[in-house]
Amino acid sequence: MPSSRHVDVIIVNYRASADTLVAVQSLMPWRFGTLWLVDNSEDPAEAEMLARHTSQLPWTRRLLPGTNLGFGRGCNIAFGKSNAPYCLLLNPDALLSATDLETLVEALEADSSLAAVAPRTFWDRNHRFLLPPAFPQSPLAEISLALASRSPRLGRVASRFYLSRMQRQMTSPRPVETPFLAGALLLLRREAVLAAGGLFDPDYFMFYEDADLAWRLRRTGYRLAVVPAATAVHEYRHKPLKGSLMVQTRTIFFRKCHPLFHRWTRQLRLLDQFRQPLRWEEWGDCLKSPISSVAELDASLDGARIVAWSPSPMMMPAAFRPLSASAVLFSPADWQLLEPGRYMLAVEHPALPGKLRYLSFERRAGSG
């Protein structure tokens, strides 16, 4: 048995107390160390709800900064108070069982060179679509995406390779090394984090703080891995309004972690000027009318089924069906996880297995 009592769990809540309590419940029965709940909400009702529902959980410690510190700084407060050898960062919209957490602990205990591990993660509770590990953040990845943006044909070749690689990795019986892991579901070795200079750089309010941490951990000599034997759910919702914040923190990341590239590209401006705007109609067929329901989308697919979907026309990153699993239609529960906006689908027709077609649609706001 792994050393479960040596694991603390950190959840940063921001006006998502209902989701946070479900995330806590997913870890039951509790057999770990301390659960640190950092409430960034600045909302007495949120604080009261968390207090009421966790008052009977003696292993819980609530931290109230009094202001929204952002994800990274919120995690830093709890990490600084914890002294557990292992710390799990868990998003409020993520679910992980106690057994799967123990599987992650076993992976760290079996290999002292691993600084951080993450489970194989599904997008939905019915385990229909897998989410990829964190998309690489590096000069090579930035240049590759910029080149692909200028050639949809090249981009499609890259996205198919990416999809096939992700599907194969998620079937591995052993941990799969990866250069980056997302902070939404992440088990960390305290010793490695301290050797890399601490948890999250406070200059990041939200986004890219996990990429910065991964870069520092690898630079210190540690490795990161996905553990497909452990399974979790992250009910990710794509919110386009966060795009401007990601642009800001992307600049911070490259300035700190890749200063020469940042300088040579004139603070990434040359790269962004070279990058071609992604026009949906150049990357696949487009449904002209907004879609109001999952039934309406099913009818529009005309018998085709979904292999993968993405908020990007390029299909990188993308949520995808597991290897050897047949293509499916979105379920009503899947549809509810999709925020209003445009999405690209990779679909195949049962009469033409293996032949992918790309189709984009707009999910209408307020639709059921």
Side-chain angles (χ1 to χ4, degrees), residues 58-84:
W59 54 84
T60 301
R61 299 290 182 271
R62 291 185 304 110
L63 303 175
L64 304 174
T67 187
N68 182 11
L69 298 177
F71 174 74
R73 280 173 275 181
C75 288
N76 286 350
I77 289 180
F79 189 82
K81 292 183 176 296
S82 166
N83 59 9

Side-chain angles (χ1 to χ4, degrees), residues 250-251 254 261-262 265-272:
R250 169 176 170 256
T251 301
F254 282 99
F261 180 74
H262 182 260
T265 59
R266 296 184 184 176
Q267 295 77 50
L268 307 181
R269 288 195 299 271
L270 291 180
L271 189 69
D272 291 338

Side-chain angles (χ1 to χ4, degrees), residues 237-350:
R237 293 171 171 85
H238 178 68
K239 297 183 182 293
L241 292 176
K242 294 181 178 179
S244 61
L245 184 56
M246 293 189 73
V247 169
Q248 296 172 25
T249 50
R250 169 176 170 256
T251 301
I252 296 172
F253 171 75
F254 282 99
R255 175 171 55 81
K256 286 176 172 285
C257 299
H258 302 283
L260 289 178
F261 180 74
H262 182 260
R263 187 160 59 248
W264 289 339
T265 59
R266 296 184 184 176
Q267 295 77 50
L268 307 181
R269 288 195 299 271
L270 291 180
L271 189 69
D272 291 338
Q273 289 169 9
F274 178 79
R275 193 190 305 266
Q276 194 81 3
L278 300 182
R279 299 180 177 88
W280 292 90
E281 64 274 10
E282 294 179 356
W283 291 82
D285 298 327
C286 295
L287 296 181
K288 299 190 184 311
S289 300
I291 302 296
S292 299
S293 69
V294 68
E296 187 179 345
L297 178 62
D298 294 351
S300 300
L301 293 180
D302 195 26
R305 298 292 185 267
I306 302 167
V307 175
W309 69 267
S310 175
S312 167
M314 201 181 291
M315 293 292 295
M316 293 188 292
F320 53 90
R321 292 285 289 154
L323 189 67
S324 301
S326 59
V328 294
L329 296 171
F330 280 144
S331 70
D334 298 336
W335 184 257
Q336 293 303 319
L337 289 176
L338 291 175
E339 292 286 323
R342 184 163 284 276
Y343 298 90
M344 184 67 76
L345 304 176
V347 301
E348 68 177 14
H349 197 281

Side-chain angles (χ1 to χ4, degrees), residues 90-113:
L90 186 67
N91 257 32
D93 58 356
L95 307 172
L96 181 69
S97 74
T99 299
D100 287 305
L101 176 50
E102 288 173 339
T103 300
L104 294 177
V105 176
E106 288 173 349
L108 286 185
E109 293 190 332
D111 187 343
S112 61
S113 72

